[in-house]
Amino acid sequence: MEAKINYSVEDLSEKEFHEFIMEGWLDARKGNLKDLDEVFDDLEKRFHVNE
C-alpha cells in the first residue's frame, strides 16, 4: 500500500519558494550569475523570435 500525502496550496507554495531561493543562493555561491543587461538582452531576443 502506498501512502499519499496531501499538501495544502500554502505548503506547496512555500516549498516552491524555498526551492527557488535555494537555487539562487547556490548560483550566487558558485558564481553562476549573469550581468543584468545580458539577461534582458536574452529575454528581448526570445520575445522578438516569438512575434
Side-chain angles (χ1 to χ4, degrees), residues 4-21:
K4 291 186 179 181
I5 300 173
N6 292 326
Y7 292 105
S8 70
V9 174
E10 292 84 8
D11 289 340
L12 290 173
S13 296
E14 184 178 339
K15 183 179 182 296
E16 287 181 20
F17 182 70
H18 183 264
E19 289 174 359
F20 175 78
I21 296 298

Side-chain angles (χ1 to χ4, degrees), residues 10-37:
E10 292 84 8
D11 289 340
L12 290 173
S13 296
E14 184 178 339
K15 183 179 182 296
E16 287 181 20
F17 182 70
H18 183 264
E19 289 174 359
F20 175 78
I21 296 298
M22 291 305 296
E23 285 179 22
W25 181 78
L26 289 173
D27 280 341
R29 273 191 76 155
K30 293 177 183 178
N32 295 336
L33 300 176
K34 286 186 168 183
D35 178 60
L36 189 60
D37 290 331

